[in-house]
Amino acid sequence: MSPHRVPIVAIDGPAGAGKSTVARQLARRLGFTMVDTGAIYRTLALAARRANIDWDDDEGLRRLLDDGFSLQFVAPPPDAPSEAQRVLLRGHDVTEAIRTPEISRGASVVSARAVVRERLLELQRSLGRGAATGAVLEGRDIGTVVFPDAEVKFFLTAGDEARARRRHSELTEKGIEIPLAEVLADQQRRDRADSERALSPLKAAEDALLVDTTGMELDAVIERCVQLARGRLN
Ligand code: DC
């Protein structure tokens, strides 16, 4: 490890396993920057939709990435550290716009394209390495591809139903009414696509700490991960 490298914590796992909440709280407790890499793929899917570019149009996506896909993460204010970070696309706040079921599907499609993964790899690495004290990166291939030498790697999982129920209550809180069965079916389709794709499929790194969050309160998961991360970082 080079003397100037900041520590990296990788959190991978399927949708709804609790990654975002755990990553946010872990970053806060460790004093690290959080990077939600799924938000990057989501923002690209939104930018493509707005530019009338199909999610599987490699040429169109290449153009979009090369000519000004300018994305920024804004940390929550110090007096509300638990709030989600804001995501800006060309200076405009898209934090909520990237969380719709349609954009979830788009993110799953664009994230399977080689041109997208190649171009976004460096962005993710520089967001991690550029952090002041350390970074918690959340995604699907952080511990396997983006930072295979991360100091700490977690792989969070949970049963299908438990994950769908979490997603369903998140959507309901936001006023998006979708039957639980539909959330579950959508999630299973995305899990399949994310795990079976040829490029950087979702899988646990060999040296990842496996945490099954089924039936666990997320607060307990956070405590467990903070202890494990501190142990590894010291
Ligand atoms: O974590 P999320 O639901 O916001 O991710 C959106 C999509 O992006 C999801 O289909 C998986 C994909 N993704 C990925 O392929 N690699 C990552 N590191 C993060 C997300």
Side-chain angles (χ1 to χ4, degrees), residues 166-226:
R166 279 191 197 131
R167 216 20 146 211
H168 182 253
S169 26
E170 275 170 23
L171 289 169
T172 308
E173 266 173 39
K174 284 187 211 147
I176 304 175
E177 298 287 342
I178 300 175
L180 178 62
E182 209 175 295
V183 175
L184 179 62
D186 211 45
Q187 171 187 287
Q188 285 169 333
R189 263 195 302 277
R190 279 215 293 148
D191 283 352
R192 217 173 305 121
D194 294 343
S195 316
E196 291 175 1
R197 70 176 178 226
L199 294 164
S200 305
L202 169 67
K203 70 165 196 269
E206 272 173 24
D207 50 348
L209 298 158
L210 293 186
V211 181
D212 186 335
T213 69
T214 313
M216 271 177 97
E217 290 293 335
L218 285 183
D219 281 349
V221 179
I222 291 160
E223 281 313 316
R224 173 120 191 269
C225 292
V226 169

Side-chain angles (χ1 to χ4, degrees), residues 37-38 41-42 107-108 111 117 139-141 167 190 194 197:
T37 63
Y41 293 99
R42 287 173 177 274
S108 188
S111 67
R117 299 209 80 89
R140 302 291 189 287
D141 62 340
R167 216 20 146 211
R190 279 215 293 148
D194 294 343
R197 70 176 178 226

Side-chain angles (χ1 to χ4, degrees), residues 151-153 207-209 227-234:
E151 278 68 19
V152 190
K153 297 181 188 179
D207 50 348
L209 298 158
Q227 298 314 322
L228 287 167
R230 287 200 170 127
R232 292 255 164 146
L233 290 169
N234 284 330

Side-chain angles (χ1 to χ4, degrees), residues 58-78:
D58 289 341
E59 258 325 296
L61 291 170
R62 190 193 315 276
R63 249 184 293 119
L64 193 58
L65 286 161
D66 289 348
D67 326 326
F69 170 64
S70 146
L71 176 139
Q72 245 181 303
F73 286 112
V74 181

